[in-house]
Amino acid sequence: MERDGLSVEIISPGVLSTVQDLGRYGFQAFGMPVAGALDRYSLMVGNLVVGNDLRSAGLEITISGPELLFRSERLVCITGGDLSPKINDRDVPVWQGLMLHEKDVLSFGGARNRGARSWICIGGGIDTPPVMGSRSTYLRGGLGGHEGRRLERGDILPLGAPDIFSRRGEGFVVPRELRQNYIERPVIRVIPDPREALIAPEGVECFYTSSYRIGPDSDRMGYRLQGPLIRHKESPDMISDAVPWGAIQVPGNGLPIIMMADCQTTGGYPKIAGVISADLGLLSMMLPGDHLSFRRCAVTEAADASRALKGDLERVRVLLADHRSRPGAPSLGIPADNGAMLLKFGGEIFDVTWRII
Amino acid sequence: MTVLPGSVAANSHCFNNPRKGGSDLEGGTGYPRFSWCGDACLVAEFGDKIDPLINSMVRDLDLRIRGLKLPWLVETVPTYRSLAVYVDPWDSPREEVELAVTSLAREVKAKTMPSVAVVEIPVCYGGDFGPDLERVSMYTALGPDDIIRLHSSKLYRVYMMGFTPGFPYLGGMDPRLETPRLEDPRTLIPAGSVGIAGKQTGIYPIASPGGWNIIGRTPLVLFDPAGASPFLLEAGMEIRFVPVTGERFEEILSGNGA
């Protein structure tokens, strides 16, 4: 089968665009970072809207987005921050099911102080070959995604086959309260780490009472923070142990680093605290120069926050199901005999014998 | 179901006796000790030093946990003295995780675990492959031949993996070989390079920047993302460096490519 048509072409790549899914798990014991979308929630909601498996790969785009030429008709949902998306130069909203036709161009005008990153989810998902069970790009290791690197002009990304109901998500709008919104000067919730004992008490106090700024040399591996110095009790060196995403290390220079999705799996600097999973998405929205502060929270509060986020995802699922079932929703296909349907995708006709029960 | 006191990890971020309601970090000197590192990672610590017996206990707990096929388990990361147990923060019964990890950790015996396997690592020492052999020689006052002999005569334990994909943290280097890191780290060290940094020795699995004293290179591939088993080494193995000539290095290298 000719597959050339089932793809997206990169006309221009933007600042940093990579293929990401929910991450590469199972190999941290061998030193392999998990990588994956910096906001799992945004990626999952986008996938849901376009009818994909939640684990499908989308594009993570940064600050100024790419320009993409669609060679195949697909439902698209852009989640995360608002980088001013346009279809054929016409402004379109984020967090909404958008139909792109063959030869349509999706481009971005850039961030308007509404979040640093977006995720572009496309019906059928991006079908680059999985590496060690994931399509996530791990930039420093040069693996996963599209040839293990950031996207470049002329790259052609293969797309998978969309779900038969994908198109029915057209026009679906994710309610504002169920979106990952950009928040100015967020207070990030953290769980204190036992290694806090290696930090001087006034250093710990300083960490929780100060405002920190995200430094210019921050990336998917870690956010380097600028602000008041945090003093250690004695030596900042300790025996290396595991470093999860969200761990906040304090190296010898006293400036904290928040470890992000591409962080190394082990490290030898004391960790003062760990960002709760539910707040990692807020960090993904932030740019160098943005300010944030930290608040202690209990593991129980973190669990409640995660449960709430999961509830939000379920709520999107319910609302989407309702939207898809509306009679006014764009028609799925041409009714065929025998309760089956003929489905038309990107110029190809599939005869799917799918009985409506 | 027996439920741990829910407030234990909530009120104090470290606990070492869940049945008695836990204790804080200052008060608790006993091991194993447990703590949440963020909300997706429960850490069990068995000590506070690099020691084969402590590392064996980490491995023992790792095998017990992985052997149970626990539905909430994402993965585990064994380190020198602790085991990180990763769970899905969206969907894990926290009390059940704590109960499982703490009770399994208490079954761990302080006994040395047998080695998973002994892996021989051929190394071509010196020359272009080992640009810092001279530097190590000057610092240690040992001749290059003595350095090679001492470095290749020991069995090294793979205590943990980390830093970059496939990088083994090795224990057991002869203290006479101890050499400080380069003051000015190199921007690119080729894959397979074998180096010394302070009390440690190790192998770079992929080309990366680094400040280790490079004394040789192995033709073996430590990390192959496309391979059926991407990693040559794992925690719990032992390795031995075997000196080889430049010719033998090339032979093995071309064999790798076949």
Side-chain angles (χ1 to χ4, degrees):
Chain A
M1 188 175 80
E2 181 61 54
R3 281 210 56 174
D4 279 4
L6 307 178
S7 62
V8 162
E9 183 180 336
I10 312 297
I11 301 171
S12 77
V15 170
L16 173 62
S17 303
T18 55
V19 176
Q20 300 291 350
D21 60 16
L22 293 180
R24 186 172 285 107
Y25 289 92
F27 300 97
Q28 284 198 81
F30 299 95
M32 174 62 80
V34 294
L38 283 190
D39 181 18
R40 305 294 208 240
Y41 178 79
S42 287
L43 184 76
M44 285 193 276
V45 171
N47 273 329
L48 203 55
V49 172
V50 300
N52 288 350
D53 187 294
L54 297 182
R55 293 162 298 184
S56 298
L59 285 187
E60 178 173 292
I61 65 173
T62 318
I63 306 171
S64 94
E67 203 173 330
L68 307 173
L69 170 66
F70 279 72
R71 294 170 159 194
S72 172
E73 190 174 72
R74 292 302 156 110
L75 189 73
V76 168
C77 182
I78 302 156
T79 56
D82 187 347
L83 305 186
S84 321
K86 299 171 201 307
I87 296 175
N88 303 330
D89 278 329
R90 188 171 43 83
D91 288 338
V92 289
V94 290
W95 296 90
Q96 198 172 121
L98 307 166
M99 203 67 214
L100 274 98
H101 303 95
E102 204 179 325
K103 298 197 175 115
D104 277 354
V105 172
L106 177 65
S107 61
F108 293 84
R112 291 175 300 207
N113 203 23
R114 290 180 199 164
R117 291 180 177 82
S118 294
W119 289 268
I120 306 174
C121 292
I122 305 172
I126 293 167
D127 196 22
T128 50
V131 175
M132 297 165 69
S134 164
R135 293 185 169 88
S136 286
T137 313
Y138 169 44
L139 289 169
R140 273 166 211 258
L143 62 86
H146 182 72
E147 297 176 2
R149 57 169 171 79
R150 58 175 65 196
L151 297 178
E152 288 168 10
R153 175 190 297 264
D155 284 345
I156 290 169
L157 299 176
L159 300 177
D163 182 87
I164 52 169
F165 289 126
S166 178
R167 305 179 59 119
R168 289 205 169 200
E170 185 178 359
F172 176 71
V173 182
V174 179
R176 203 157 285 275
E177 69 273 15
L178 300 178
R179 301 179 184 184
Q180 176 65 267
N181 293 309
Y182 170 75
I183 296 177
E184 227 174 306
R185 295 181 177 265
V187 179
I188 302 293
R189 288 169 290 182
V190 298
I191 294 170
D193 194 276
R195 295 286 169 271
E196 184 192 282
L198 298 172
I199 313 278
E202 60 272 25
V204 176
E205 177 71 11
C206 169
F207 176 73
Y208 287 107
T209 53
S210 306
S211 167
Y212 283 91
R213 190 170 62 247
I214 296 179
D217 46 354
S218 295
D219 57 17
R220 286 184 43 89
M221 193 172 172
Y223 284 8
R224 291 169 181 273
L225 303 184
Q226 298 174 330
L229 300 183
I230 297 169
R231 307 251 173 249
H232 298 86
K233 272 183 187 153
E234 289 160 19
S235 163
D237 286 325
M238 50 168 243
I239 300 170
S240 289
D241 58 14
V243 179
W245 179 10
I248 303 175
Q249 291 189 330
V250 184
N253 68 6
L255 288 172
I257 304 173
I258 310 178
M259 307 310 278
M260 299 298 283
D262 282 4
C263 74
Q264 58 190 72
T265 56
T266 58
Y269 294 123
K271 296 180 281 270
I272 192 167
V275 177
I276 69 168
S277 305
D279 283 0
L280 289 172
L282 276 178
L283 293 177
S284 77
M285 295 288 103
M286 303 186 74
L287 281 171
D290 286 350
H291 288 76
L292 74 169
S293 54
F294 301 98
R295 171 170 81 73
R296 277 188 191 86
C297 109
V299 181
T300 43
E301 185 180 342
D304 290 344
S306 284
R307 206 170 298 124
L309 215 48
K310 197 180 168 194
D312 287 352
L313 190 68
E314 284 312 307
R315 182 95 187 104
V316 174
R317 197 192 296 274
V318 169
L319 293 172
L320 178 68
D322 179 55
H323 176 89
R324 283 172 153 192
S325 65
R326 277 182 213 164
S331 126
L332 172 68
I334 309 144
D337 56 355
N338 206 16
M341 286 184 291
L342 280 178
L343 304 171
K344 195 165 176 292
F345 288 116
E348 289 180 353
I349 293 181
F350 299 88
D351 186 359
V352 180
T353 309
W354 190 85
R355 286 174 184 279
I356 300 167
I357 300 165
Chain B
M1 188 187 78
T2 320
V3 177
L4 279 179
S7 59
V8 169
N11 297 337
S12 63
H13 46 267
C14 187
F15 53 103
N16 63 3
N17 194 341
R19 286 185 188 85
K20 285 184 183 167
S23 71
D24 61 22
L25 187 73
E26 282 72 33
T29 50
Y31 290 102
R33 185 188 286 177
F34 308 94
S35 59
W36 284 95
C37 184
D39 59 347
C41 178
L42 182 62
V43 178
E45 289 176 80
F46 289 93
D48 199 19
K49 54 178 190 258
I50 298 174
D51 173 275
L53 200 61
I54 291 172
N55 189 249
S56 279
M57 293 166 80
V58 172
R59 273 185 56 212
D60 191 351
L61 177 61
D62 191 16
L63 293 178
R64 285 169 196 265
I65 288 179
R66 284 192 288 154
L68 283 180
K69 306 246 181 297
L70 298 158
W72 39 259
L73 181 68
V74 173
E75 60 187 314
T76 55
V77 178
T79 73
Y80 284 115
R81 67 203 161 101
S82 66
L83 184 73
V85 179
Y86 284 88
V87 300
D88 178 357
W90 283 46
D91 215 357
S92 59
R94 193 174 58 85
E95 290 83 7
E96 208 177 302
V97 174
E98 288 177 358
L99 183 66
V101 174
T102 54
S103 50
L104 286 169
R106 270 162 237 289
E107 289 171 20
V108 164
K109 307 281 187 302
K111 63 165 172 31
T112 306
M113 297 280 285
S115 170
V116 172
V118 178
V119 181
E120 294 201 334
I121 309 275
V123 178
C124 182
Y125 288 94
D128 289 346
F129 291 158
D132 299 321
L133 189 60
E134 288 278 302
R135 195 184 117 89
V136 175
S137 176
M138 276 167 61
Y139 191 84
T140 59
L142 293 165
D145 288 349
D146 289 329
I147 292 168
I148 295 168
R149 187 177 50 77
L150 286 176
H151 191 259
S152 60
S153 62
K154 289 271 226 167
L155 261 187
Y156 300 89
R157 172 184 286 262
V158 180
Y159 276 108
M160 60 188 270
M161 310 275 287
F163 176 53
T164 58
F167 180 88
Y169 286 82
L170 302 175
M173 189 176 75
D174 193 302
R176 282 171 287 180
L177 293 175
E178 199 175 318
T179 309
R181 285 161 207 262
L182 306 185
E183 280 170 24
D184 193 11
R186 290 193 171 86
T187 50
L188 194 70
I189 292 173
S193 293
V194 175
I196 291 174
K199 294 178 175 37
Q200 299 179 81
T201 185
I203 315 163
Y204 283 82
I206 55 175
S208 49
W212 291 40
N213 299 278
I214 305 303
I215 59 170
R217 196 184 302 171
T218 177
L220 295 189
V221 176
L222 272 74
F223 173 49
D224 172 18
S229 49
F231 301 97
L232 179 69
L233 303 174
E234 66 175 75
M237 285 180 171
E238 284 180 306
I239 71 169
R240 190 198 308 278
F241 294 111
V242 180
V244 296
T245 62
E247 273 179 5
R248 182 73 192 123
F249 180 98
E250 295 300 334
E251 273 174 32
I252 301 170
L253 195 64
S254 52
N256 284 340

